[in-house]
Amino acid sequence: MARRGRPDRDRPGLTRELVLRFIAENPSRSSKRDIAKAFDVKSEDRLLLKDILADLQAEGVIEGGRKRFNRPGALPDVLVLEIRSRDEDGGLLALPVGWDEAERGERPRLPVRQDRGSVAGIGDRILARIEDDEASGTRFARVIRVLEQRKSFELGVFRAMPGGGGRVEPVERRQLEFMIRPGDDKDARDGDLVEVEAAPRSRAGLPIGRVVTVLGSIKGEKAISTIALHAHGIPHIFPEGVLLEAEEAAAATMADREDWRDLPLVTIDPADAKDHDDAVHARPDEDPANPGGVVVTVAIADVALYVRPGSKLDAEARLRGNSVYFPDRVVPMLPERISNDLCSLRNGVDRPALAVRMVFAANGEKRRHDFHRIMMRSHARLSYEDAQGAIDGVPGRVEPQILEEVLRPLWKAYGLLAAARDRRQPLDLDLPEKKIKLDVTGRVEKVIVPERLDAHRLIEEFMIQANVAAAETLEAKRQALIYRAHDAPSLAKLESLRDFLRTLDISLERSGSVRPSHFNGILRQVKASEHESLVNEVVLRSQSQANYSAENIGHFGLNLLRYAHFTSPIRRYADLIVHRALITALSLGEGGLSRADEESLEVTAEEISRAERRAMAAERETVDRLIAHHLADRIGDSFDGRVAGVTKAGLFVALPAFGADGFVPISSLGAEYFHYDEVGHSLIGERSGRGYRLGDQVEVRLVEAIPLAGSMRFEMLSEPRQLPAFTGSHHKSRMRRPGRPGRPKNVGAKVRRKR
């Protein structure tokens, strides 16, 4: 409504339309002062501007106050957002929380930008500041902090109901079941794996939810790993912009490279490997000053040439952190164009690489090393089995020339390095790795323990030496890097281990002087005894978890002072950072460490350590689900197992034949009270003194299998055995008796079997 006495308030230069346009186009700087400055409002026009703004507010055309004006429905400076999806370039997109679409219109989708110290991901709720992108004229949300991580969505299986809608069965016991109203199912079909968003909780009945994403049928051959991917928020679909950038990558040239194509480097990998990122070569050292010595070369695919700092490929690789390996698929860190093509060291094809040439003395000690940026050509693609078979005299596994000129020098070099390794005495735990074989339908066909060959050990030792060389070179150049760090066991864990070993009449050095060799001595004492499995398990649990760090604390398990991952940049972001650091430190050309890389090494180390733990959890849960699914139709069958965990609530029993475990509740163990002995890792019957201990070989019966949750429940068939007496010391935790919820948890509490 116009004000009297102001007939000229809409005169050219200061009109309602121009003021409105300015507010709409400059939402972050639209205070009264900003508007006056933009229109060069003089003192005589200030009342006119005040009247225009007052009229627009009275009419509801604008809202706001002292700091700035907005059009109705405009975003505030700071608000809570939920990250829902990614754009075609892999960027995060978020929606405002609590947005009333009836009053304010459709919820805006805002690109999310975060500093290196922020680690927001899909499903997270964030507090963000709304800012303008001057270049594009768009708005984006800059993360201030993460408020809540991945609690918005639940994963489950949709079960359709007559008349529309349905319910969603949870994939984990701790999750809720949801009712889905008709129209909120997003066209999900019965048996589809879906993500559900919870609605405000009602007072009665099942919680109400809304299907957000349909992930495909639970009967699909990759459904089990899909559950793990979504449960842990692991990115597994490359954005279009990332794929386009990979496809546009050109083959390497000889620029800034040495020509090593005549050197007979070979790749030695698993028989089913699709990419080959490392190659090896060895020869006698011709230097008279090093009699009996060898020269070992390790060449690694030059991923840094293609994945540059600030690129979409780099952002995606950093987000993923590492490749993830499931029995039914691999979720790679980089697109196949990079990992399986340009950076795969294919036989007879020119490929760029970073190579380290290491000279070892006859006793296996390294004398020197140097790094080179090269163009190489693999002279043979070998599997571990082929290489080992050729060395063992199996005819026809490898061409005679490769055997004599390449493999035999490699094995000679390995013999020298193995002797030095034995003197170094890294931690030598005997923990065989199992591999699940699937049939064409994605079901478990068998579980195998691959034979551990010298060919495996050879490649492993060469890679360790290359990793050490990388760390040494970068330290010598005072170049910042990311280390693979493994701390010594904590004092608390050592004391607990010492107490346990005392029950077996085995001593352990005092905390300040413990070395891997001390653990190896203990493992040798129990070799081939009834306690071998138990002691290996307990020693493993006493160790710290390895991680990535910008600070060097050494690698306790390998007994090395400095160690940096260099040998797998295709599947680990840490290795890519080390490659870039070497390129920068040694002036090897383009693709080195950027300033942003260097400034954020500590944050990067934390992020990729978290990604590694995430991948390990997802891989472990997928195996559990596959085995539970495999055994679901064998309820009532008995199995040979081993006690893999002892808790106050019962026993975890691993099935060695299948590589998974299940649970035996303490209430089902026997008709007497059982004590939980924390130090002895055992459950002991009070009257009989008999019980079960970590590592015991037992027989169990399967009574329940829940495939979606990956859980199995067993009944113990083996009789308990005599164990050291329970002393009731402060190390012995106690159990509360079932049915007595108010009873305090004092030392010596008991558990009775439920009949």
Short mmCIF file of all heavy atoms in Angstrom, two decimals, residues 86 91 123 138 153 208 220 293 309 374 437 486 647 653 655 697 702:
data_model
loop_
_atom_site.label_atom_id
_atom_site.label_comp_id
_atom_site.label_asym_id
_atom_site.label_seq_id
_atom_site.Cartn_x
_atom_site.Cartn_y
_atom_site.Cartn_z
N ARG A 86 24.32 -37.60 -4.51
CA ARG A 86 25.49 -37.02 -5.14
C ARG A 86 25.12 -36.58 -6.55
O ARG A 86 24.26 -37.18 -7.19
CB ARG A 86 26.63 -38.04 -5.19
CG ARG A 86 27.03 -38.56 -3.83
CD ARG A 86 27.93 -39.77 -3.93
NE ARG A 86 29.25 -39.41 -4.40
CZ ARG A 86 30.16 -40.31 -4.77
NH1 ARG A 86 29.87 -41.59 -4.74
NH2 ARG A 86 31.35 -39.92 -5.17
N GLY A 91 29.79 -34.82 -6.35
CA GLY A 91 29.60 -33.90 -5.23
C GLY A 91 28.37 -34.25 -4.42
O GLY A 91 27.40 -34.80 -4.93
N GLY A 123 23.63 -39.40 4.07
CA GLY A 123 22.90 -39.83 5.25
C GLY A 123 23.17 -38.99 6.48
O GLY A 123 22.44 -39.07 7.46
N THR A 138 25.33 -19.45 -8.25
CA THR A 138 24.49 -20.40 -7.50
C THR A 138 24.85 -20.35 -6.02
O THR A 138 25.83 -19.72 -5.62
CB THR A 138 24.69 -21.83 -8.03
OG1 THR A 138 26.07 -22.20 -7.89
CG2 THR A 138 24.29 -21.92 -9.49
N PHE A 153 18.55 -43.22 7.69
CA PHE A 153 17.98 -44.29 6.89
C PHE A 153 18.20 -45.64 7.58
O PHE A 153 19.20 -45.86 8.26
CB PHE A 153 18.62 -44.34 5.50
CG PHE A 153 18.54 -43.05 4.74
CD1 PHE A 153 19.56 -42.68 3.89
CD2 PHE A 153 17.46 -42.21 4.89
CE1 PHE A 153 19.50 -41.49 3.19
CE2 PHE A 153 17.39 -41.02 4.19
CZ PHE A 153 18.41 -40.66 3.34
N ILE A 208 6.22 -45.84 11.57
CA ILE A 208 5.89 -45.59 10.17
C ILE A 208 7.13 -45.10 9.45
O ILE A 208 7.91 -44.32 9.98
CB ILE A 208 4.76 -44.54 10.05
CG1 ILE A 208 3.53 -44.98 10.85
CG2 ILE A 208 4.40 -44.31 8.59
CD1 ILE A 208 2.93 -46.28 10.37
N GLY A 220 18.88 -61.17 -5.68
CA GLY A 220 19.94 -60.92 -6.64
C GLY A 220 21.26 -61.48 -6.17
O GLY A 220 21.52 -61.60 -4.96
N GLY A 293 76.04 -60.24 -3.83
CA GLY A 293 74.88 -59.37 -3.67
C GLY A 293 73.93 -59.44 -4.85
O GLY A 293 74.23 -60.04 -5.89
N PRO A 309 45.86 -34.14 -8.22
CA PRO A 309 45.22 -33.39 -7.14
C PRO A 309 44.20 -32.40 -7.68
O PRO A 309 44.45 -31.73 -8.69
CB PRO A 309 46.40 -32.67 -6.47
CG PRO A 309 47.60 -33.50 -6.80
CD PRO A 309 47.33 -34.04 -8.18
N ILE A 374 59.62 -44.36 -14.98
CA ILE A 374 60.04 -45.13 -16.14
C ILE A 374 58.86 -45.45 -17.07
O ILE A 374 57.69 -45.28 -16.72
CB ILE A 374 60.69 -46.46 -15.71
CG1 ILE A 374 59.64 -47.39 -15.06
CG2 ILE A 374 61.85 -46.22 -14.76
CD1 ILE A 374 60.11 -48.81 -14.83
N LYS A 437 34.44 -69.42 -2.17
CA LYS A 437 34.15 -69.63 -3.58
C LYS A 437 32.63 -69.67 -3.75
O LYS A 437 31.93 -70.40 -3.05
CB LYS A 437 34.75 -70.95 -4.07
CG LYS A 437 36.27 -70.97 -4.11
CD LYS A 437 36.80 -70.17 -5.29
CE LYS A 437 38.30 -70.35 -5.46
NZ LYS A 437 38.82 -69.57 -6.60
N HIS A 486 52.09 -48.81 13.04
CA HIS A 486 51.59 -49.88 13.91
C HIS A 486 52.29 -49.74 15.25
O HIS A 486 53.48 -50.02 15.38
CB HIS A 486 51.87 -51.26 13.30
CG HIS A 486 51.32 -52.39 14.11
ND1 HIS A 486 51.99 -53.57 14.30
CD2 HIS A 486 50.15 -52.51 14.77
CE1 HIS A 486 51.25 -54.38 15.04
NE2 HIS A 486 50.13 -53.75 15.35
N THR A 647 32.73 -64.21 26.24
CA THR A 647 32.17 -63.00 26.83
C THR A 647 31.33 -63.36 28.04
O THR A 647 31.09 -64.54 28.33
CB THR A 647 31.28 -62.25 25.83
OG1 THR A 647 30.06 -62.99 25.62
CG2 THR A 647 31.98 -62.08 24.48
N VAL A 653 31.61 -69.23 18.60
CA VAL A 653 32.24 -70.43 18.07
C VAL A 653 32.41 -70.27 16.57
O VAL A 653 31.43 -70.06 15.83
CB VAL A 653 31.41 -71.69 18.37
CG1 VAL A 653 32.02 -72.92 17.71
CG2 VAL A 653 31.31 -71.89 19.88
N LEU A 655 33.41 -71.65 12.81
CA LEU A 655 33.39 -72.89 12.04
C LEU A 655 34.52 -72.83 11.03
O LEU A 655 34.40 -72.15 10.00
CB LEU A 655 32.04 -73.04 11.32
CG LEU A 655 30.78 -72.99 12.19
CD1 LEU A 655 29.54 -73.22 11.33
CD2 LEU A 655 30.84 -73.99 13.33
N GLN A 697 38.62 -76.78 20.81
CA GLN A 697 37.93 -77.44 19.70
C GLN A 697 36.65 -78.05 20.24
O GLN A 697 36.67 -78.81 21.21
CB GLN A 697 38.83 -78.54 19.11
CG GLN A 697 40.18 -78.06 18.61
CD GLN A 697 40.06 -77.10 17.45
OE1 GLN A 697 39.21 -77.27 16.58
NE2 GLN A 697 40.91 -76.08 17.44
N LEU A 702 23.63 -76.36 15.05
CA LEU A 702 23.02 -75.12 14.58
C LEU A 702 21.53 -75.13 14.92
O LEU A 702 20.80 -76.03 14.51
CB LEU A 702 23.20 -74.97 13.07
CG LEU A 702 22.61 -73.73 12.41
CD1 LEU A 702 23.25 -72.46 12.95
CD2 LEU A 702 22.78 -73.79 10.89
#
